[in-house]
């Protein structure tokens, strides 16, 4: 279905706001600006941990009504696009030395702003800061003369793999609301009860059991051992997965 005139108009407005040059004039009433709205919304999203930021809460933070915000943003979807791209400015402009480093930067960005994980990655904001981050990723891939299909596949994975690792880490940190010991106790109890409920588990699932019996020893990964187990595994697995992707592309005939 073709987009309506209203949808096209909203898209054009969002693009104009995203790509306006720094310092471009914008509405300002009694100290209220678009930048202040984006900043306040981002702080609230960081505090909540999700993207469901009520416009009323933003207005309360800025001392105005929710309706006053519509002078600056067309609605919640537009505001999230602006927040998303503005947050990508924190990604950094220094060229990453590898795809692994790029992915680890993105992982840290997601962990600092977990609400970004709520947004649809199939419909990115297409703003300048995210595009600059993408350009820096391509800068680590294109000079290697990879097949174009491999560049596309690795680039796509470089966005999705950190998001998956970040979700795991955010969930693991949520489970650690008590302490590391509490989390370890939870796993120990589950494994003990699993062994009692399914004494033939290893025989029924030999491949999975074989993996669990050959976990990397402490100190063999790239993440410090004082990081909680699940987070350390997510970080090390992300790094290894990206290394394998790049090595596979490098090994093509």
């Amino acid at each position: 279905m073709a987009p309506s005139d209203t949808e096209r108009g909203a898209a054009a407005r969002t693009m104009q706001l995203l790509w306006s040059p720094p310092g471009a004039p914008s509405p300002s009433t009694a100290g209220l600006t678009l930048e202040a709205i984006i900043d306040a919304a981002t702080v609230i999203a960081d505090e909540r941990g999700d993207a469901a930021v009520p416009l009323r809460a933003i207005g309360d933070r800025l001392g105005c009504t929710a309706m006053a915000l519509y002078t600056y943003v067309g609605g919640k979807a537009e505001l999230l696009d602006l927040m998303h791209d503005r947050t990508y400015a924190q990604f950094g402009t220094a060229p990453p030395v590898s795809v692994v480093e790029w992915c680890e930067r993105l992982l840290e960005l997601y962990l600092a702003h977990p609400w970004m994980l709520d947004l649809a990655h199939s419909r990115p904001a297409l703003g300048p800061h995210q595009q600059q981050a993408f350009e820096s990723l391509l800068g680590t891939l294109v000079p290697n003369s990879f097949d174009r299909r491999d560049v596309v596949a690795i680039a796509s994975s470089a966005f999705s793999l950190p998001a998956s690792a970040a979700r795991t880490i955010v969930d693991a940190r949520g489970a650690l609301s008590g302490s590391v010991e509490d989390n370890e106790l939870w796993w120990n109890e589950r494994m003990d009860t699993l062994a009692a409920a399914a004494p033939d588990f290893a025989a029924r699932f030999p491949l999975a059991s074989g993996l669990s019996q050959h976990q990397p020893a402490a100190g063999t990964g790239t993440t410090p051992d004082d990081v909680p187990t699940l987070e350390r595994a997510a970080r090390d697995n992300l790094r290894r997965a990206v290394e394998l992707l790049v090595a596979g592309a490098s090994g093509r005939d």
Side-chain angles (χ1 to χ4, degrees), residues 96 102 129-142 159:
W102 191 94
H129 296 109
Q130 184 179 22
Q131 193 61 40
Q132 184 58 52
F134 182 49
E135 192 76 3
S136 68
L137 170 62
L138 295 180
T140 70
L141 290 171
V142 173
F159 277 96

Side-chain angles (χ1 to χ4, degrees), residues 84-140:
H84 184 261
D85 191 67
R86 179 73 64 84
T87 302
Y88 259 98
Q90 301 171 20
F91 189 87
T93 57
V97 299
S98 67
V99 181
V100 169
E101 181 189 332
W102 191 94
C103 288
E104 290 178 336
R105 283 193 201 176
L106 184 56
L107 173 63
E108 296 304 328
L109 190 68
Y110 285 147
L111 293 178
H113 307 282
W115 55 268
M116 295 177 72
L117 299 170
D118 292 346
L119 306 182
H121 292 273
S122 61
R123 295 187 175 184
L126 300 178
H129 296 109
Q130 184 179 22
Q131 193 61 40
Q132 184 58 52
F134 182 49
E135 192 76 3
S136 68
L137 170 62
L138 295 180
T140 70

Side-chain angles (χ1 to χ4, degrees), residues 40-41 44 48 52-66 69:
I44 294 172
R48 291 173 55 96
V53 180
L55 293 180
R56 180 176 179 178
I58 301 171
D60 290 345
R61 183 70 61 102
L62 296 172
C64 66
T65 65
L69 305 179

Side-chain angles (χ1 to χ4, degrees), residues 13-14 17 25-38 62 64-75 78-79 82:
R13 173 187 165 91
T14 300
L17 290 174
S26 62
S28 177
T29 304
L32 187 62
T33 65
L34 177 60
E35 289 71 22
I37 293 170
I38 297 172
L62 296 172
C64 66
T65 65
M67 288 301 299
L69 305 179
Y70 286 101
T71 301
Y72 305 87
V73 293
E78 181 174 276
L79 178 57
L82 297 171

Side-chain angles (χ1 to χ4, degrees), residues 65-252:
T65 65
M67 288 301 299
L69 305 179
Y70 286 101
T71 301
Y72 305 87
V73 293
K76 181 70 174 296
E78 181 174 276
L79 178 57
L80 285 172
D81 280 345
L82 297 171
M83 292 163 57
H84 184 261
D85 191 67
R86 179 73 64 84
T87 302
Y88 259 98
Q90 301 171 20
F91 189 87
T93 57
V97 299
S98 67
V99 181
V100 169
E101 181 189 332
W102 191 94
C103 288
E104 290 178 336
R105 283 193 201 176
L106 184 56
L107 173 63
E108 296 304 328
L109 190 68
Y110 285 147
L111 293 178
H113 307 282
W115 55 268
M116 295 177 72
L117 299 170
D118 292 346
L119 306 182
H121 292 273
S122 61
R123 295 187 175 184
L126 300 178
H129 296 109
Q130 184 179 22
Q131 193 61 40
Q132 184 58 52
F134 182 49
E135 192 76 3
S136 68
L137 170 62
L138 295 180
T140 70
L141 290 171
V142 173
N144 289 288
S145 300
F146 291 145
D147 183 278
R148 180 183 177 278
R149 294 171 299 174
D150 292 341
V151 170
V152 172
I154 294 173
S156 176
S157 297
F159 277 96
S160 60
L161 289 175
S164 178
R167 289 188 182 94
T168 298
I169 294 172
V170 169
D171 288 346
R173 289 179 177 178
L176 287 176
S177 56
S179 67
V180 173
E181 291 74 17
D182 290 341
N183 196 50
E184 296 292 344
L185 178 61
W186 186 94
W187 275 101
N188 290 335
E189 289 177 344
R190 286 300 189 278
M191 297 308 294
D192 289 344
T193 54
L194 174 61
D200 60 342
F201 184 91
R204 293 172 62 185
F205 308 105
L207 300 181
S209 298
L211 284 178
S212 64
Q213 293 170 6
H214 295 87
Q215 292 292 335
T220 59
T222 59
T223 305
D225 290 339
D226 59 353
V227 174
T229 303
L230 289 179
E231 178 170 344
R232 185 170 69 249
R235 289 178 178 276
D236 287 344
N237 289 340
L238 170 62
R239 171 179 281 271
R240 184 59 179 154
V242 176
E243 288 173 344
L244 289 171
L245 278 173
V246 176
S250 300
R252 279 184 179 271

